[in-house]
Amino acid sequence: AQSVTQPDIHITVSEGASLELRCNYSYGATPYLFWYVQSPGQGLQLLLKYFSGDTLVQGIKGFEAEFKRSQSSFNLRKPSVHWSDAAEYFCAVGAYNAGNMLTFGGGTRLMVKP
Amino acid sequence: EAGVAQSPRYKIIEKRQSVAFWCNPISGHATLYWYQQILGQGPKLLIQFQNNGVVDDSQLPKDRFSAERLKGVDSTLKIQPAKLEDSAVYLCASSLGNPEAFFGQGTRLTVV
């Protein structure tokens, strides 16, 4: 069975500072990896995805993530955080032979200090 | 392109009452999912449809939850009777048949 761990429940960064959100997954084969963002009262918006190929993937809103198979990680990064980035971030893993369903981590709540 | 539509956005009911949520997926998406998101947690899959057939409903509490997807398009999720622990956001998502899912804005259910 696949699983996802997001070790940091809350993270606070200053506006303009860099950001890294951690994600570790467990899956026996090559996973499909995703980062979603959720603002209060909203659904999930896809930030970026990794299916294959280049292990550094670029997403929307200036986010990027790097797939490291040896560490079973898919950490999300942004070089300079904006106040509007405050939200909940979810890492998810999916696989074709698991019926395509997504398994989500528990989420990381990002707060941005002015 | 229109996204996944869900209604209602908010619902407050008393325990033991029934409630239904509606979802219209992105046009052409054969796969439809219902997820439950309890406050402070990540979404958890309740049921997955491929066209109008059920692929996975292993996490659906079948004594009180039911879902259908007639004609392979719209879907309805029903809870009867509701319990306090059913308070959550119910998210509908759809996909073309790969793991990339597109989510609706969700229905926030409060059971009092």
Side-chain angles (χ1 to χ4, degrees):
Chain A
Q2 55 209 49
S3 66
V4 178
T5 301
Q6 294 180 246
D8 305 303
I9 297 175
H10 293 99
I11 283 185
T12 300
V13 299
S14 298
E15 191 168 17
S18 63
L19 171 70
E20 182 169 28
L21 302 183
R22 296 183 291 165
C23 172
N24 293 98
Y25 68 89
S26 173
Y27 182 63
T30 301
Y32 295 85
L33 296 161
F34 305 84
W35 276 99
Y36 286 87
V37 61
Q38 186 177 40
S39 298
Q42 300 299 312
L44 299 171
Q45 181 184 21
L46 180 66
L47 283 176
L48 48 77
K49 62 190 177 190
Y50 172 78
F51 279 13
S52 65
D54 192 347
T55 56
L56 183 64
V57 294
Q58 302 297 319
I60 62 171
K61 304 184 180 186
F63 285 92
E64 66 177 27
E66 186 171 12
F67 170 55
K68 293 186 177 180
R69 184 188 302 275
S70 62
Q71 299 178 18
S72 297
S73 69
F74 189 57
N75 294 349
L76 182 71
R77 300 194 293 251
K78 186 170 186 178
S80 178
V81 170
H82 187 262
W83 63 266
S84 60
D85 293 324
E88 186 102 26
Y89 291 80
F90 292 95
C91 181
V93 62
Y96 272 103
N97 63 0
N100 298 332
M101 59 166 280
L102 293 177
T103 299
F104 286 85
T108 298
R109 179 166 297 279
L110 173 66
M111 290 174 281
V112 180
K113 292 189 300 185
Chain B
E1 176 182 276
V4 176
Q6 289 188 248
S7 67
R9 287 294 313 278
Y10 305 93
K11 191 74 177 180
I12 301 174
I13 62 172
E14 295 183 350
K15 59 183 179 183
R16 291 186 290 274
Q17 286 187 322
S18 63
V19 64
F21 313 128
W22 174 82
C23 172
N24 181 246
I26 293 173
S27 177
H29 281 195
T31 307
L32 185 147
Y33 312 83
W34 283 101
Y35 283 84
Q36 180 193 56
Q37 185 180 18
I38 293 172
L39 185 64
Q41 300 181 17
K44 182 187 78 172
L45 181 73
L46 289 176
I47 188 167
Q48 177 185 346
F49 292 94
Q50 180 73 19
N51 296 309
N52 60 351
V54 175
V55 174
D56 185 348
D57 64 355
S58 58
Q59 299 300 308
L60 188 74
K62 299 181 186 64
D63 57 333
R64 298 182 301 106
F65 285 65
S66 64
E68 60 182 9
R69 191 183 184 197
L70 299 177
K71 301 181 181 178
V73 182
D74 293 6
S75 177
T76 303
L77 177 69
K78 296 179 181 177
I79 308 175
Q80 181 179 11
K83 294 185 175 181
L84 295 176
E85 59 260 37
D86 298 331
S87 294
V89 175
Y90 291 85
L91 294 163
C92 180
S94 68
S95 76
L96 280 168
N98 61 39
E100 181 176 358
F102 297 84
F103 285 81
Q105 294 207 318
T107 296
R108 180 175 297 277
L109 173 67
T110 303
V111 183
V112 298

